[in-house]
Amino acid sequence: MLAWTHPACLSHDTGPDHPEQPARVQVVVDALQHECPGLEWREAPAARRGDLCRVHTAELVDQVLAPVVCGVQHIDAETLVSPGSARAAVHAAGAGIAAVDAVMAGPDRIAFCAVRPPGHHATADTPMGFCLLNNIAVAAAYARDQHGLERIAIVDFDVHHGNGTQAIFREDPAVAYFSTHQSGLFPHTGHSRERGVGNLHNVLLPPGSGGFRFRNTWADSLLPLLDDFRPQLLLVSAGFDAHLADPLADLMLDTEDFAWLTTELLAIALRHSQGRLVSMLEGGYNLDALAECAVAHVKALGG
């Protein structure tokens, strides 16, 4: 199994006490190197401007890549940039592109990208929710255009709805989006009535749902829809902030719930996409829980 990261992901400084901190990637990489010694680590390349502009406006790309001379600057109340942010963002997005190329070429069919900043809240024209570039959307559009895929699935189990990913692909039948997320949280999107061109599948879960409701929702609703879509490539927005220890949400999942869903996703990838699956880190803000969940996720993928 392949894994991508880059030292630049540690240089995106969000200031003291911000939950989306450089240590998030460091603890994930350290835990995976210790617990999953069979992973083949690769350094993520920088995404090219043309790859970013498949899903983002030129104005957003210019905003994200604009030099920051010193200090930390606010894009909004929660989304910040520093002198190292642009480099971190392009390598985070580049990880997904490199992983798509690798799993499409084989022989390795599964990849995990331990990168930050996360991406699934960034829309075509607006960075938000800790996200600068939409890493998973960049990867999906690249797979569609460069590998000629007609059925790409994005599964998002982050506790927050991936509003940016949904908005980017809401009129693109080649990309289907499947998500559970907690009700009442930022960004207050992702209702079941949001269907796009029939390619959007959202389920809101109330606070305190726990693993029983989470697993039943996927097993009874979303996984059958994903199976029916028959994806040629499965992309995963792997956010672990639904864990019961996470400070930003209250969905109350255990580590084993993430491992269970990962096993189910891998089975679908094996049925329909020759096992091709690329997972990219999104949220998760308790460092111990994040590391534990990332290890469980990667081990369930065979790492």
Side-chain angles (χ1 to χ4, degrees):
M1 181 176 165
L2 304 175
W4 268 266
T5 191
H6 195 281
C9 293
L10 302 176
S11 65
H12 171 51
D13 180 9
T14 50
D17 303 322
H18 195 285
E20 206 296 283
Q21 56 184 286
R24 295 181 62 247
V25 162
Q26 191 64 64
V27 299
V28 167
V29 171
D30 289 348
L32 291 177
Q33 289 179 341
H34 183 262
E35 298 290 339
C36 304
L39 287 177
E40 180 182 334
W41 286 92
R42 298 183 179 181
E43 188 169 279
R48 296 172 298 183
R49 183 181 180 89
D51 294 325
L52 302 178
C53 288
R54 284 193 180 91
V55 301
H56 290 300
T57 64
E59 291 76 13
L60 178 139
V61 174
D62 289 341
Q63 179 185 12
V64 170
L65 300 187
V68 177
V69 176
C70 64
V72 175
Q73 299 179 6
H74 284 259
I75 290 177
D76 60 31
E78 298 178 327
T79 310
L80 303 96
V81 290
S82 64
S85 298
R87 190 160 177 259
V90 295
H91 283 283
I97 292 171
V100 165
D101 278 341
V103 303
M104 292 301 298
D108 295 289
R109 297 293 187 177
I110 302 173
F112 179 70
C113 301
V115 293
R116 65 179 283 276
H120 70 154
H121 294 309
T123 67
D125 59 6
T126 307
M128 66 173 76
F130 308 164
C131 303
L132 302 180
L133 300 170
N134 195 313
N135 306 320
I136 206 83
V138 170
Y142 179 86
R144 179 196 62 203
D145 294 351
Q146 294 299 307
H147 291 279
L149 300 185
E150 298 175 345
R151 296 186 310 279
I152 301 164
I154 298 175
V155 169
D156 189 335
F157 54 75
D158 191 281
V159 80
H160 304 93
H161 180 240
N163 60 301
T165 309
Q166 173 172 297
I168 287 167
F169 294 115
R170 65 188 171 201
E171 297 180 0
D172 186 348
V175 180
Y177 179 77
F178 303 81
S179 176
T180 53
H181 38 278
Q182 184 179 319
S183 61
L185 293 184
F186 175 90
H188 305 288
T189 55
H191 299 276
S192 59
R193 66 178 179 272
E194 299 168 17
R195 294 302 313 281
V197 290
N199 62 330
L200 307 180
H201 309 281
N202 292 294
V203 178
L204 281 164
L205 296 174
S209 287
F212 182 78
R213 185 163 186 169
F214 175 81
R215 295 192 193 201
N216 282 349
T217 297
W218 280 99
D220 295 343
S221 178
L222 292 176
L223 289 174
L225 291 171
L226 177 60
D227 215 6
D228 289 344
F229 183 64
R230 297 179 294 114
Q232 298 165 300
L233 173 66
L234 182 53
L235 303 177
V236 180
S237 274
F240 300 107
D241 40 4
H243 192 276
L244 59 88
D246 199 272
L248 299 190
D250 301 290
L251 209 52
M252 307 299 286
L253 301 189
D254 288 321
T255 303
E256 292 76 13
D257 297 317
F258 296 106
W260 172 84
L261 180 55
T262 303
T263 300
E264 296 295 317
L265 296 176
L266 179 59
I268 289 176
L270 290 169
R271 280 197 291 277
H272 300 299
S273 65
Q274 301 176 49
R276 293 185 296 236
L277 185 153
V278 174
S279 177
M280 302 195 74
L281 182 64
E282 296 282 2
Y285 305 102
N286 177 288
L287 296 181
D288 292 337
L290 174 61
E292 181 179 283
C293 290
V295 168
H297 176 62
V298 168
K299 285 186 173 180
L301 290 174

